[in-house]
Amino acid sequence: MCGIISAVSCRDVTSMLIDGLSRLEYRGYDSCGIAIYGKKNLRRVRSMKRVYDLSKQIIEHNLYGSIGLAHTRWATHGMPSTYNAHPHFSSLDSGKPRIALVHNGIIENYDELRVELQESGYLFESQTDTEVLVHLINHNYDGDILRTVQKVTKLLTGTYAIAVFCADEPYRIIGSCKGAPLVLGLGDGENFLASDVLAMAGRANEVIYLEDGDIVDIESNNFLIVDSDNSLAHRKRYPKSSFIGIVELGTYRHYMQKEIFEQPRAVADTLQEVNIVSENIFGIDAEEIFRNIDSVLIIACGTSYYAGMTAKYWIESIAKIRVSVEIASEYRYRDSVVNPKSLVLVISQSGETSDTLSALKHSMSLGMNYNMAICNSQTSAIVRECKLCYLTRAGIEIGVASTKAFTTQLTVLFLLSITLAKNRSILSRDNEMLFLKALRHLPAALSSVLDLEPLVVKWANHFANKENALFLGRGMHYPIALEGALKMKEISYIHAEAYPAGELKHGPLALVTDNMPVVVVAPKDILLEKLKSNMQEVQARGGKLYVFADADSKINDDSINLIRMPEHYGMLSPILHTIPLQLLAYHTACIRGTDVDKPRNLAKSVTVE
Ligand code: F6R
């Protein structure tokens, strides 16, 4: 969840570290800090404000040097504060700092280690688990920082990605990771360690993804990697072209807005190589695996989980295969019924979500070995673990609230549904052509829905002064209502709940007053008439209805706020109906003046449990 960037170079590294850090803020932004070794001194600046404040402090304190570590934090142990911000230091008896360390992850046995270190005389100035690590390294330091990190990491329980510097050996940085990502970047006369390649864009020519238990030793012109058995390790190098460059905001006000408007392109790119419905697009073994499965188990978190919920409707209806959908953090800790003939389908934008990755590994440990990832990151841990994979080509998503990742996931899930149906020989040629045509038309359809923005902005003005909202949907649009409510709560901080509309009368109706806006996703499908009755239940209690309906739906009531979708989208309707809900949350948040791209308490990539 935190972001690490560190560099050893033959030139000054401060501006590079600051640039890298600002590109890592999506991983957490409670506080940030940077430590630099220069003029034979190890010094640091830390801030509760954003990275721009660090830049000011660097100038004020004249902090320059060719080796340094930087960190942006998402608080787990200890509140957001400057004294809890990384880098953490451990000093010699003279008070001179010797070890500097940045950490992403959670050290589970930090309490007992802390007691031992306190008994040895170490004073703690933060509430973090990380400070235990830095003192532990100082305590065990034997003149060789690589050897010391090898020894100390054996004492740890939990997850970590760390970068460590020792002032006694001011030409090298040691990194190590277990259960949290760490990438080595190789540049010209400089090398880097970071949580994400994005932090090194423009400076690294090649990257190496470290594996669990690896320890890496970097100098400006050399590096070596040892694995958990202390043997030299040779890991695959990826050229510059394989990782994504920097993303500019352009004329948009926020990345979230940019990403909402990128959806036609993202969906078109995701479908780029799809000419026919064929198993091959999911991997070479897909045809055989699909033939052998008797059910699908979808595992995901948050927005990706809602994509999975929508897929259940599609797969069961089109391919007639039983689907269960599980929240990753729940699945991994419960006794479930093991079915080796189930396809475990993990959905993740980042491919690094700890809960999802652990749930996937849990399913494998239970003997469920048919697995597949739908993911937006080619080099992620989840993709590396899975036999089958379909990469969404949404492009990097910077806004913390997921938008284009969700609609591209849905696109792939629909494609999977028709592919499974074809694999079972229950997809007629006519339907195959019809569905493919609808998929090809999707980018254009998304563009026409985006044109509704001005109408949605008017609604956002009504929502901006509310503190609660209800979202209703039925059938495959219920998960879309859930996603709409999640977007609303996470970026506008309005308390929003979603229900399958038929559930309203079983309790939530008690919340409806004339101060409760109720958003209804109401496409023209077999449930529309039922939904209209649910809407009347709301109106009868004074609730204000905001309804997204199809162009030709018979809803003619002046007291209802109505936006008509440009066309009728059939089975793909959930994808299209997502767009106005994203826009509604976005514009409501803008009017309320929240930090849209970096909502409070959240982070983009959740690599801790
Ligand atoms: C909400 C959001 C989160 C993520 C969730 C899973 O807008 O972005 O709910 O969907 O943290 O993340 P991934 O898809 O990266 O596994």
Side-chain angles (χ1 to χ4, degrees):
M1 291 291 281
C2 303
I4 293 174
I5 169 77
S6 59
V8 196
S9 179
C10 42
R11 48 184 165 147
D12 175 61
V13 292
T14 39
S15 60
M16 184 274 163
L17 291 178
I18 288 291
D19 278 357
L21 213 49
S22 51
R23 280 182 241 137
L24 287 176
E25 273 192 312
Y26 75 89
R27 301 181 67 87
Y29 34 82
D30 290 332
S31 62
C32 51
I34 179 167
I36 296 284
Y37 186 83
K39 297 188 194 133
K40 300 202 170 152
N41 269 318
L42 175 60
R43 293 188 299 148
R44 69 181 164 191
V45 288
R46 297 181 291 175
S47 176
M48 282 281 287
K49 296 185 190 150
R50 296 280 165 84
V51 174
Y52 70 86
D53 185 56
L54 279 188
S55 310
K56 284 202 292 190
Q57 290 196 50
I58 282 170
I59 296 166
E60 273 163 37
H61 294 90
N62 205 14
L63 202 65
Y64 297 103
S66 57
I67 187 161
L69 318 171
H71 186 268
T72 177
R73 179 169 186 248
W74 186 77
T76 56
H77 293 62
M79 61 197 284
S81 68
T82 311
Y83 60 86
N84 282 332
H86 303 215
H88 286 282
F89 279 1
S90 189
S91 303
L92 296 163
D93 291 342
S94 63
K96 200 172 165 138
R98 175 158 75 172
I99 310 286
L101 179 141
V102 287
H103 167 221
N104 168 29
I106 292 176
I107 305 301
E108 286 165 12
N109 58 337
Y110 83 104
D111 248 347
E112 57 200 78
L113 292 170
R114 190 181 174 111
V115 171
E116 284 169 28
L117 287 160
Q118 278 168 331
E119 281 168 8
S120 302
Y122 286 88
L123 294 176
F124 282 77
E125 57 174 43
S126 79
Q127 302 151 331
T128 63
D129 52 337
T130 306
E131 202 184 351
V132 165
L133 258 177
V134 74
H135 291 318
L136 199 60
I137 290 172
N138 197 9
H139 189 59
N140 284 279
Y141 183 61
D142 63 2
D144 183 304
I145 189 66
L146 172 62
R147 202 165 49 220
T148 309
V149 172
Q150 282 179 296
K151 183 176 166 194
V152 165
T153 46
K154 301 247 174 334
L155 307 174
L156 306 177
T157 328
T159 57
Y160 54 83
I162 51 172
V164 189
F165 169 81
C166 176
D168 291 4
E169 301 170 74
Y171 49 86
R172 68 201 299 207
I173 290 175
I174 308 299
S176 182
C177 65
K178 192 179 142 212
L182 194 62
V183 194
L184 164 62
L186 308 175
D188 295 326
E190 54 188 5
N191 290 319
F192 314 97
L193 286 174
S195 304
D196 186 329
V197 289
L198 197 61
M200 309 179 279
R203 291 287 278 257
N205 303 322
E206 287 181 301
V207 296
I208 293 173
Y209 295 87
L210 297 178
E211 294 184 9
D212 267 6
D214 281 355
I215 300 187
V216 58
D217 180 354
I218 60 166
E219 298 181 16
S220 58
N221 281 305
N222 302 308
F223 75 92
L224 69 84
I225 303 171
V226 284
D227 65 17
S228 47
D229 297 328
N230 296 346
S231 308
L232 262 188
H234 299 281
R235 305 279 177 236
K236 188 172 172 192
R237 291 175 173 219
Y238 290 86
K240 196 182 200 164
S241 55
S242 69
F243 51 92
I244 313 145
I246 306 162
V247 180
E248 302 297 342
L249 188 55
T251 53
Y252 292 97
R253 193 167 157 198
H254 296 100
Y255 281 105
M256 182 177 175
Q257 186 187 28
K258 180 171 190 265
E259 287 156 9
I260 290 173
F261 278 85
E262 275 174 356
Q263 289 176 105
R265 193 274 310 147
V267 166
D269 285 357
T270 298
L271 291 171
Q272 191 177 294
E273 274 148 34
V274 181
N275 299 316
I276 49 162
V277 176
S278 153
E279 294 91 345
N280 290 342
I281 51 176
F282 297 96
I284 42 171
D285 296 329
E287 202 269 324
E288 193 193 331
I289 291 179
F290 289 172
R291 206 168 350 103
N292 289 338
I293 59 163
D294 66 3
S295 58
V296 179
L297 167 62
I298 299 180
I299 301 173
C301 304
T303 289
S304 298
Y305 172 74
Y306 297 148
M309 281 180 74
T310 315
K312 178 180 166 77
Y313 289 89
W314 283 333
I315 297 174
E316 293 202 344
S317 156
I318 302 171
K320 310 290 177 212
I321 302 177
R322 197 157 27 90
V323 179
S324 44
V325 195
E326 298 249 6
I327 290 180
S329 54
E330 288 295 311
Y331 169 73
R332 60 184 288 205
Y333 289 118
R334 75 180 187 86
D335 283 333
S336 52
V337 178
V338 178
N339 178 6
K341 292 186 82 179
S342 197
L343 174 69
V344 177
L345 174 58
V346 283
I347 308 171
S348 173
Q349 186 282 129
S350 61
E352 300 290 349
T353 300
S354 169
D355 288 327
T356 311
L357 180 60
S358 305
L360 169 67
K361 288 182 178 167
H362 176 66
S363 70
M364 288 155 83
S365 75
L366 295 175
M368 296 169 72
N369 290 316
Y370 294 141
N371 47 38
M372 172 170 154
I374 294 179
C375 187
N376 200 33
S377 168
Q378 186 174 13
T379 48
S380 62
I382 284 176
V383 169
R384 290 200 299 266
E385 289 288 340
C386 281
K387 287 204 171 67
L388 305 180
C389 171
Y390 195 108
L391 288 173
T392 49
R393 294 204 182 88
I396 186 153
E397 201 179 55
I398 306 266
V400 162
S402 193
T403 52
K404 59 180 180 170
F406 181 65
T407 44
T408 51
Q409 286 167 352
L410 289 176
T411 305
V412 176
L413 286 162
F414 187 80
L415 191 59
L416 176 67
S417 312
I418 57 178
T419 309
L420 288 171
K422 188 167 178 183
N423 182 271
R424 321 210 127 202
S425 308
I426 54 169
L427 184 70
S428 70
R429 182 86 186 128
D430 283 355
N431 272 346
E432 179 177 348
M433 290 301 118
L434 201 72
F435 288 143
L436 269 181
K437 196 171 156 209
L439 279 172
R440 285 202 196 100
H441 176 63
L442 199 50
L446 286 163
S447 295
S448 57
V449 180
L450 285 165
D451 291 341
L452 299 174
E453 190 183 32
L455 299 176
V456 179
V457 173
K458 284 190 187 145
W459 284 13
N461 281 298
H462 302 187
F463 279 71
N465 61 5
K466 302 285 186 231
E467 287 313 318
N468 299 288
L470 276 179
F471 286 68
L472 303 178
R474 291 197 76 141
M476 61 185 174
H477 294 89
Y478 164 51
I480 303 307
L482 282 165
E483 171 62 4
L486 177 63
K487 287 293 91 98
M488 185 62 92
K489 68 186 121 188
E490 71 179 325
I491 61 166
S492 77
Y493 313 148
I494 290 174
H495 173 224
E497 296 291 339
Y499 287 94
E503 271 294 289
L504 206 55
K505 57 190 174 297
H506 297 291
L509 200 55
L511 294 172
V512 174
T513 65
D514 59 3
N515 205 24
M516 175 69 89
V518 181
V519 179
V520 190
V521 184
K524 194 175 159 194
D525 58 16
I526 50 161
L527 289 166
L528 183 60
E529 289 310 313
K530 307 259 173 233
L531 195 58
K532 280 187 188 167
S533 311
N534 304 138
M535 286 171 5
Q536 273 170 14
E537 290 158 16
V538 170
Q539 275 189 308
R541 275 84 190 169
K544 296 277 172 292
L545 287 169
Y546 294 83
V547 180
F548 292 103
D550 280 340
D552 53 352
S553 285
K554 286 200 182 70
I555 301 176
N556 298 314
D557 181 340
D558 288 346
S559 63
I560 294 177
N561 299 289
L562 192 67
I563 292 182
R564 289 193 185 271
M565 300 288 280
E567 25 177 324
H568 177 66
Y569 304 106
M571 289 291 256
L572 292 178
S573 171
I575 307 179
L576 280 301
H577 271 275
T578 302
I579 308 294
L581 300 182
Q582 294 170 343
L583 287 169
L584 182 61
Y586 172 72
H587 285 290
T588 305
C590 286
I591 298 165
R592 285 166 72 94
T594 61
D595 192 348
V596 171
D597 283 334
K598 296 188 177 80
R600 69 185 177 208
N601 308 338
L602 301 180
K604 181 78 187 156
S605 187
V606 190
T607 56
V608 293
E609 207 187 320

